[in-house]
Amino acid sequence: MIVRDLAASEEALLHAHLEQSGASAWRGPFLAGPDGLAARVLAEGEGDTCLVVRRRRARIEEGEAVLGEVRLVPRPARAEFELERGASSELDDAVLWAMATPREWEALSAGHAFELVRTQLKLWARVEDVRLAAAPGVEVELASAFPPEVEELPARIGGAPLPAAWARRDRGWMDWRFGPNAPGNHAIGLARRGAELVGCAVFRRADFDGARGEGLACEWLAPGSDEAVGHALRAFLVERARAAGAERLVTLLPETTPDWFHFQRAGLRVARTGYLLGARGRLRRHDARWLFHHWYYTLADGGLA
Amino acid sequence: MSETRDYELREYRPGDEESIVSTFNLVFRGPETGLPLRTLAEWRWQFLDNPGGWRIWLGLHEKKVVAQQSGLGYRVRLDGRDETFSQAVDSMVHPEHRGGLRKPSLFVQVGTLYNDAYAPRDISYFGWPNAQARRVGKAFLKYNIFHTPSFVVRELAPGAGALPREVVVLDRFDESVRALWERCAAHWGACVVRDERFLNWRFRDHPLCSYDLLGVREGGALVGYAVARKADWPGPGLYVVADWLVPEERNDVAELLRRALEARAREQGGGAIVTLFPEWSPWFDRFQRAGFLVWRSDCTMAVQPHDARYDAAWMREHWWYQIAESDYV
């Protein structure tokens, strides 16, 4: 196995590879993330593909860890990427994961030992079909940046079983991902009860899963036990979708979270997507079924929207 | 300690069944499981009476079955042709014959012979592996977990306890079900043949469970059916729909059958109706429109395709399956 950091000079070449392989939806820079973690190139065996790993700080079972989102790229010719160049090191990321198309999935499972976490589903509704409810005591403000306490929100999501793995969402990362300088026109909604931050959602109108101009809930952090927060944030999303001219509201959530049901009870239905969520845990216990039950993620985690 | 020379490896022969069941009960039905012992009658029903046939290879030591790889055959319609799938079940090695230094292990040897015999015959193996079977299947059987199906669930509110008058309780399926199945199967790339032989074997003649066979007839012809029973899977006290066959254009029939399922569920004290559909099926969305919610399941589905045209990606998009193709209910 060869592991090395991606060189800055290779970023443009990498984007060209992704464009060629139909993976252009993996948007955004590879090197400029705020986590201070360099993207890596990972080549295993003699296969004709290698992995580029975009890495992110995470919490797994209350400990610090790294989650690596991978993209499959053709194994480059020596003249393009010199895989052997630079230090070879152990890949210490706790979990590598990918939201893959079926074609990508075949290569990831056959060539890189990825396991299927889930056939990815989405929640969707026509905007006018979303049933809104009163949210006493909760106010949502349209914000341009995140407060520091946003990092505490994932721990309050709740559910049974409780989420035990999630990519960290500190203020720096959230501003980088959704703030004014991020690609895309995101609308950040912060829910407060009094002065306390109790939830957030991020809206963007964008193409997703083969459909044009979807109203996407790119981020969703709400305590499942406090339904008023969800009601208030859904109202925010509907308002932004209407303002952006989106006909449908769409989001991804794990089926294990309370809001999976709250969204359905608000009128969103479940449909398949063209994506398969696959992963490979460094520890045996972090296998696909453990991740199915314990990993909280949203569209914010990947590069699809 | 196991040694290869001690074992007779061969396909099942009449007369092996008592030893198979004895070892099965030792491996899978120990006192710690709380499960009842499997009977010979149950085994005969499952394997010998199955209209899709059996797939069984054995390892014997001193004339006693100590290892088995077995499967249930299913007649399928695949791209308009008649083919077969099989479902791996009851793979086992007697505890006293596990491990050892000899490689490949007894389990792998029996599995290899099983594959040599049946892989050319069955277009695909499939399974619903649990956690233990996932590990074994991945390591030895080239299982490809290709799908994580979700349940479609409706929690029951008080309501009518009587069947709609258009819905009848069937004693058993007759040959009129074939035309209904042909009409539905025309929309699907792959599906298990649902004729009276399969349906009566799977449900009517089941040695342990009693199912509600609910049908709608028009002029004597069956135009839709649902098979369900109260079960403690995937949770306690649920009313689980094991099979559903309604033409896509007959929403009226579907509505009658849904009302009938609700009535039977209430009558039997089931707290919720649980079913499962491929997500590509219109029924997955229509049941949601009718008030059902999508719940996570702990099920995974695996295939080992033997024809590259019908790989996991193809199966995910084209195979109509129901809980009927599992042994959960």
Side-chain angles (χ1 to χ4, degrees):
Chain A
M1 182 170 78
I2 298 167
V3 183
R4 68 168 175 80
D5 289 352
L6 185 73
S9 60
E10 293 167 336
E11 192 171 10
L13 182 63
L14 179 58
H15 277 290
H17 272 307
L18 293 174
E19 191 78 36
Q20 277 178 2
S21 63
S24 55
W26 210 40
R27 300 178 185 96
F30 291 94
L31 299 175
D35 275 359
L37 298 171
R40 284 178 167 174
V41 180
L42 172 63
E44 299 169 294
E46 298 301 316
D48 56 4
T49 56
C50 63
L51 304 177
V52 175
V53 186
R54 183 157 58 182
R55 306 166 72 226
R56 183 128 169 241
R57 297 192 190 281
R59 300 281 293 174
I60 297 183
E61 297 186 285
E62 301 184 356
E64 296 293 323
V66 173
L67 288 173
E69 182 193 10
V70 310
R71 214 60 191 177
L72 194 69
V73 295
R75 190 160 182 152
R78 183 175 295 268
E80 296 176 318
F81 275 174
E82 290 187 27
L83 285 173
E84 292 78 6
R85 181 176 57 75
S88 178
S89 62
E90 182 81 6
L91 186 75
D92 53 2
D93 296 2
V95 175
L96 298 181
W97 67 277
M99 193 70 82
T101 62
R103 179 186 289 186
E104 291 169 329
W105 172 248
E106 292 305 315
L108 286 168
S109 61
H112 298 278
F114 273 54
E115 296 181 320
L116 184 67
V117 176
R118 59 168 52 84
T119 314
Q120 185 61 53
L121 303 171
K122 63 185 173 189
L123 291 150
W124 74 277
R126 293 189 309 171
V127 171
E128 63 266 33
D129 292 338
V130 179
R131 293 189 288 272
L132 300 178
V138 181
E139 299 288 335
V140 178
E141 63 168 305
L142 180 63
S144 57
F146 291 88
E149 58 267 36
V150 69
E151 187 172 4
E152 308 303 320
L153 293 178
R156 299 183 200 163
I157 287 165
L162 284 169
W166 61 83
R168 283 181 57 167
R169 285 149 155 84
D170 59 33
R171 177 187 195 174
W173 190 89
M174 294 291 272
D175 283 342
W176 172 81
R177 180 73 172 83
F178 297 121
N181 296 324
N185 187 18
H186 297 98
I188 301 166
L190 301 178
R192 294 186 186 277
R193 190 185 293 280
E196 184 190 6
L197 182 73
V198 288
C200 86
V202 177
F203 175 86
R204 180 190 183 193
R205 187 178 179 203
D207 300 344
F208 175 68
D209 193 30
R212 303 295 301 267
E214 300 277 56
L216 299 175
C218 297
E219 180 62 305
W220 180 268
L221 299 169
S225 59
D226 188 347
E227 289 194 49
V229 177
H231 295 326
L233 289 171
R234 264 187 296 278
F236 167 79
L237 293 171
V238 165
E239 178 197 335
R240 300 314 304 175
R242 286 192 173 123
E247 294 182 358
R248 308 195 328 158
L249 185 63
V250 179
T251 195
L252 300 188
L253 286 176
E255 304 94 299
T256 46
T257 61
D259 274 314
W260 174 259
F261 293 104
H262 297 157
F263 268 99
Q264 290 187 73
R265 293 191 173 105
L268 282 85
R269 302 205 300 278
V270 178
R272 62 182 174 154
T273 70
Y275 298 106
L276 300 162
L277 180 62
R280 187 177 92 188
R282 190 157 56 90
L283 299 181
R284 187 175 173 182
R285 63 179 265 96
H286 296 150
D287 64 8
R289 289 316 278 177
W290 188 89
L291 291 165
F292 177 92
H293 287 292
H294 295 284
W295 177 23
Y296 184 80
Y297 63 92
T298 67
L299 277 170
D301 290 79
L304 291 178
Chain B
M1 191 66 66
S2 61
E3 292 294 338
T4 303
R5 64 176 180 274
D6 295 332
Y7 298 108
E8 180 187 6
L9 307 179
R10 61 166 172 77
E11 196 174 41
Y12 159 81
R13 293 175 196 155
D16 291 329
E17 44 269 50
E18 285 194 20
S19 186
I20 291 172
V21 170
S22 171
T23 301
F24 175 91
N25 283 328
L26 179 79
V27 172
F28 294 111
R29 299 289 168 90
E32 74 283 0
T33 68
L35 297 169
L37 295 177
R38 177 176 283 181
T39 64
L40 203 51
E42 195 182 332
W43 186 88
R44 287 182 193 282
W45 166 81
Q46 187 173 22
F47 287 93
L48 302 186
D49 298 346
N50 175 10
W54 49 263
R55 319 278 189 267
I56 305 171
W57 266 79
L58 302 171
L60 295 95
H61 178 69
E62 295 175 351
K63 299 186 178 178
K64 178 179 171 185
V65 171
V66 295
Q68 172 180 252
Q69 177 70 49
S70 58
L72 303 172
Y74 288 85
R75 296 167 296 140
V76 298
R77 179 71 53 82
L78 180 75
D79 261 353
R81 306 190 312 275
D82 293 329
E83 298 282 0
T84 61
F85 289 172
S86 65
Q87 179 187 12
V89 294
D90 302 352
S91 303
M92 62 185 181
V93 176
H94 190 291
E96 293 172 7
H97 295 265
R98 293 174 189 166
L101 299 177
R102 183 61 64 98
K103 300 291 181 186
S105 67
L106 178 60
F107 179 84
V108 171
Q109 288 182 70
V110 175
T112 300
L113 292 167
Y114 179 94
N115 279 330
D116 290 346
Y118 303 128
R121 173 172 159 189
D122 293 326
I123 288 280
S124 184
Y125 298 159
F126 73 93
W128 303 70
N130 58 22
Q132 184 184 6
R134 275 194 292 274
R135 282 195 291 275
V136 172
K138 183 181 169 191
F140 301 111
L141 300 176
K142 300 176 187 169
Y143 259 4
N144 182 346
I145 304 291
F146 77 102
H147 185 45
T148 54
S150 299
F151 295 125
V152 181
V153 178
R154 181 166 192 174
E155 291 177 284
L156 287 174
L163 293 181
R165 61 179 174 76
E166 298 91 339
V167 176
V168 294
V169 177
L170 307 172
D171 176 51
R172 56 190 301 118
F173 287 95
D174 61 35
E175 63 184 23
S176 73
V177 74
R178 291 187 210 176
L180 170 64
W181 173 74
E182 292 280 0
R183 184 174 166 186
C184 295
H187 296 274
W188 304 327
C191 59
V192 167
V193 173
R194 277 154 163 81
D195 58 9
E196 70 277 18
R197 286 179 64 205
F198 171 74
L199 293 168
N200 287 328
W201 166 74
R202 177 64 180 81
F203 300 119
R204 179 64 175 79
D205 302 331
H206 195 291
L208 298 178
C209 305
S210 177
Y211 296 85
D212 291 334
L213 315 180
L214 305 171
V216 177
R217 290 189 184 279
E218 287 178 352
L222 199 61
V223 293
Y225 74 75
V227 179
R229 75 173 175 89
K230 191 176 175 193
D232 290 328
W233 179 91
L238 299 169
Y239 191 66
V240 182
V241 183
D243 204 22
W244 171 269
L245 193 67
V246 179
E248 290 179 5
E249 65 276 16
R250 292 305 302 268
N251 257 331
D252 56 335
V253 174
E255 179 56 27
L256 290 169
L257 287 170
R258 269 195 299 265
R259 283 166 47 202
L261 289 167
E262 288 173 15
R264 295 293 281 199
R266 286 191 187 101
E267 188 180 304
Q268 296 177 38
I273 297 175
V274 179
T275 184
L276 177 155
F277 297 106
E279 287 87 1
W280 53 259
S281 160
W283 298 118
F284 184 71
D285 189 63
R286 290 180 193 171
F287 269 64
Q288 292 181 68
R289 288 173 183 267
F292 285 67
L293 299 180
V294 176
W295 287 21
R296 74 167 188 258
S297 88
D298 279 332
C299 301
T300 57
M301 297 183 70
V303 289
Q304 182 190 323
H306 304 136
D307 182 327
R309 291 173 295 174
Y310 306 108
D311 61 9
W314 188 92
M315 295 282 273
R316 196 182 299 115
E317 295 299 316
H318 297 93
W319 180 24
W320 169 265
Y321 57 83
Q322 288 281 273
I323 292 171
E325 281 92 330
S326 75
D327 56 3
Y328 286 124
V329 169

